[in-house]
Structure formats: C-alpha cells, structure tokens
Amino acid sequence: MEKEVNFDTALKQLEEIVSKLEQGDVPLEEALDQFQEGIKLSRQCKKTLLAAEETMTKIINENGEEEPFEEDLNNQEK
C-alpha cells in the first residue's frame, strides 16, 4: 500500500499533472496513468479538506464534548 502524502505535496503533484496534461504532448498511456494518479490525489485532497472542515465546525464545550460551532454562535446571540 502506498503512503499518502501530506495535503500540500498532494496538491502540488496534482497541479503538475494538470499542467502536463494541458500541454497535450504526453503519450496516451502516460496520460492515462497521470490522469489516474491525478484522480487519486484529488480524492486524497478532498478527504483531507472535508476532515479539516468537520474539525473546524466543532468546538469543545465546558464538559469536553464536541458541539457544532454554529449552534454555539446561536446560543451566544440570545
């Protein structure tokens, strides 16, 4: 099993793949391999971003329990 790279590295690799494919001078077999690698990197980046979003939208209350961040804002406004 391949080791996942961190978000910044995955994004940089994805940008490089897109740039190569946009140039249009990549042999078909290599283009397909690059495309598949790009899909894998894209999914990894999406997974990382979704996990970060989930973490950022929660807070820890006084009891050490997680709560949605929006709910806390609503309670403070009342």
Side-chain angles (χ1 to χ4, degrees):
M1 177 179 235
E2 291 183 31
K3 180 182 175 189
E4 286 191 1
V5 294
N6 69 38
F7 178 81
D8 292 329
T9 302
L11 187 58
K12 183 177 180 185
Q13 289 175 353
L14 184 56
E15 289 170 346
E16 290 170 0
I17 289 170
V18 169
S19 179
K20 277 185 191 178
L21 293 177
E22 285 179 340
Q23 291 175 4
D25 58 354
V26 179
L28 180 61
E29 292 81 14
E30 184 181 339
L32 289 172
D33 289 343
Q34 291 290 308
F35 180 78
Q36 289 176 341
E37 180 66 16
I39 294 295
K40 184 180 93 177
L41 291 167
S42 174
R43 287 180 179 152
Q44 181 182 335
C45 288
K46 181 179 179 179
K47 179 180 166 185
T48 302
L49 288 173
L50 288 173
E53 180 180 19
E54 184 177 316
T55 299
M56 296 300 293
T57 58
K58 292 182 180 178
I59 61 167
I60 306 295
N61 66 19
E62 335 40 81
N63 299 325
E65 300 167 340
E66 289 184 350
E67 293 180 352
F69 186 67
E70 295 84 10
E71 182 180 310
D72 187 67
L73 286 178
N74 291 334
N75 289 337
Q76 288 181 359
E77 291 173 2
K78 293 179 181 177

